[in-house]
Amino acid sequence: MKAFNDLADFSNEEIRSLVELASRLDSNPEPEALKGKVLSLLFLSPSLRTLASFQAAMVRLGGGSFVISPDMSIHGLETRPGIVMDGVAAEHIREAVPVIASYGDAIGIRAFAERKDIASDMREKEFSSLIDLIDTPYINMESAMNHPCQNLADWKTMDDLGVPANGGKFVLSWAYHPRALPLAVPASTLHMAAKRGMDVTVLRPEGFELPEAIMQKAATAAETAGGSVTQTDQRSEAMEDAHIIYAKSWSSTRHYGDKINDQKLREQHLDWCVDEPWFANAKNDCRFMHCLPVRRGVVVADDILDGPRSVVIPEARNRMLAQMAVLHQMLGGQT
Ligand code: CP
């Protein structure tokens, strides 16, 4: 495997094989599988889970890793192309990325969307410009529109729970958040659930519709896998017989890059905080998923997060296992 960038690059059989490998590495550890291998980790955006789980994954497989982020760079990192570097930053990303990559056998890169221009973010302009600087195998640790490690972990989490693929109902719901967040998780989660063959409903207020190209990509995946994709702003209709509600906030697509109008629109939806009444007509054992971090009392009520519906902790642990599977395949471990 040369790149782990988007679940769309893999067949369902290949994904199921990665999920099986993740489970196997959990029950039958291979502490020498990646002995002597090094993973470079470049975080241009913040993280807790991705940072910690990649480091833990490498240690568990017998390899090592190192982390670079602008916060720790003693030189200051410039990312703008074509800039005259007469300010604070003394190192440009164009040198930094290939140097960091040259120290490892693979590199993981996180670079969130700029969230100024949706067309540019949809093209993955920033992430692509970084990948163009290297020729080592790479892992997308979250870019403008993709978060494949989260998607693989979420697929595994639903398998672990016995949530049906075909016939399983998955609700991806917008939730209130005081800030305009990226589209990477909702876009890639929608695609993951559709690719798994589920009946997926995107529940969101008007003005927060996911881009047409994202909806179309998911619809195509669903068609191939025997699932479906719909969207609505009607909560009760969306939640009927749901197996999973996956909550996430995202930017208004009507006001993308326009902080003031995004803020005005999202503040009309303070009641989009998942609590028990949301589950009134869902399956009795409908579970709550979230990629974390999550704002308590804003995105979801404490009762849900602390109660039996929530699977956010095993979901987060699956990040480590899913990434172990990806690293095992990418860096030469036997499958
Ligand atoms: N879910 C996720 O990617 O978490 P972090 O942002 O903490 O890495």
Side-chain angles (χ1 to χ4, degrees):
M1 188 195 296
K2 289 283 182 219
F4 190 66
N5 183 51
D6 182 344
L7 285 202
D9 300 334
F10 297 87
S11 68
N12 282 25
E13 194 181 349
E14 288 169 325
I15 293 169
R16 282 193 287 270
S17 163
L18 279 167
V19 168
E20 278 170 28
L21 177 57
S23 296
R24 197 184 84 208
L25 291 170
D26 194 21
S27 53
N28 297 299
E30 293 187 23
E32 305 226 343
L34 299 186
K35 194 172 176 184
K37 301 288 185 182
V38 174
L39 177 66
S40 317
L41 294 166
L42 174 62
F43 283 90
L44 298 176
S45 309
S47 171
L48 184 154
R49 276 143 293 275
T50 308
L51 176 65
S53 59
F54 264 110
Q55 291 181 301
M58 281 305 286
V59 171
R60 284 177 184 271
L61 292 170
S65 62
F66 67 89
V67 177
I68 297 291
S69 78
D71 291 344
M72 63 198 285
S73 167
I74 53 170
H75 300 299
L77 204 49
E78 178 59 67
T79 56
R80 291 169 292 177
I83 195 92
V84 175
M85 290 175 57
D86 56 359
V88 175
E91 173 112 43
H92 200 280
I93 198 87
R94 288 188 66 82
E95 287 75 53
V97 169
V99 167
I100 293 164
S102 76
Y103 298 147
D105 300 285
I107 184 168
I109 299 179
R110 167 168 282 201
F112 288 174
E114 280 189 317
R115 273 165 289 159
K116 290 180 188 157
D117 172 29
I118 197 161
S120 162
D121 288 345
M122 291 279 288
R123 283 200 308 276
E124 293 282 13
K125 188 172 163 233
E126 190 183 358
F127 193 78
S128 302
S129 72
L130 298 172
I131 294 308
D132 285 348
L133 299 171
I134 57 168
D135 54 14
T136 45
Y138 70 92
I139 298 171
N140 181 328
M141 301 198 298
E142 191 173 336
S143 61
M145 294 293 156
N146 281 314
H147 199 354
C149 300
Q150 186 67 52
N151 306 146
L152 186 62
D154 290 340
W155 184 307
K156 179 179 183 307
T157 301
M158 288 193 281
D159 282 5
D160 293 348
L161 291 167
V163 176
N166 289 124
K169 182 165 179 185
F170 186 97
V171 177
L172 170 68
S173 180
W174 185 88
Y176 176 72
H177 189 286
R179 291 178 48 229
L181 298 183
L183 295 175
V185 170
S188 61
T189 300
L190 165 63
H191 175 262
M192 175 278 298
K195 188 172 173 65
R196 194 170 176 267
M198 303 182 78
D199 295 316
V200 189
T201 300
V202 181
L203 172 62
R204 81 289 174 274
E206 285 191 20
F208 292 88
E209 297 83 359
L210 291 175
E212 186 50 38
I214 297 292
M215 294 298 293
Q216 191 51 54
K217 179 181 172 184
T220 303
E223 201 175 324
T224 306
S228 62
V229 174
T230 57
Q231 57 179 327
T232 179
D233 59 359
Q234 298 299 309
R235 195 172 297 165
S236 175
E237 173 194 321
M239 287 299 292
E240 190 172 1
D241 291 329
H243 292 84
I244 296 288
I245 177 169
Y246 195 112
K248 187 74 185 80
S249 192
W250 61 84
S251 301
S252 162
T253 41
R254 185 183 293 165
H255 299 300
Y256 199 83
D258 174 354
K259 271 189 186 170
I260 292 171
N261 281 311
D262 177 292
Q263 188 82 13
K264 277 187 195 160
L265 185 61
R266 71 180 46 248
E267 280 177 359
Q268 293 170 25
H269 304 295
L270 292 166
D271 61 327
W272 284 63
C273 173
V274 180
D275 61 7
E276 190 55 35
W278 282 50
F279 295 84
N281 60 350
K283 295 276 185 207
N284 284 339
D285 60 351
C286 178
R287 303 303 184 106
F288 175 84
M289 295 179 73
H290 192 286
C291 63
L292 303 181
V294 69
R295 290 191 183 226
R296 285 174 171 260
V298 175
V299 168
V300 56
D302 283 6
D303 286 357
I304 299 298
L305 212 45
D306 298 331
R309 293 196 186 282
S310 174
V311 294
V312 299
I313 303 303
E315 183 184 357
R317 182 170 184 272
N318 273 331
R319 288 292 306 278
M320 178 183 74
L321 300 173
Q323 289 154 201
M324 284 167 69
V326 170
L327 291 164
H328 197 280
Q329 285 205 353
M330 184 173 273
L331 294 177
Q334 297 299 305
T335 57

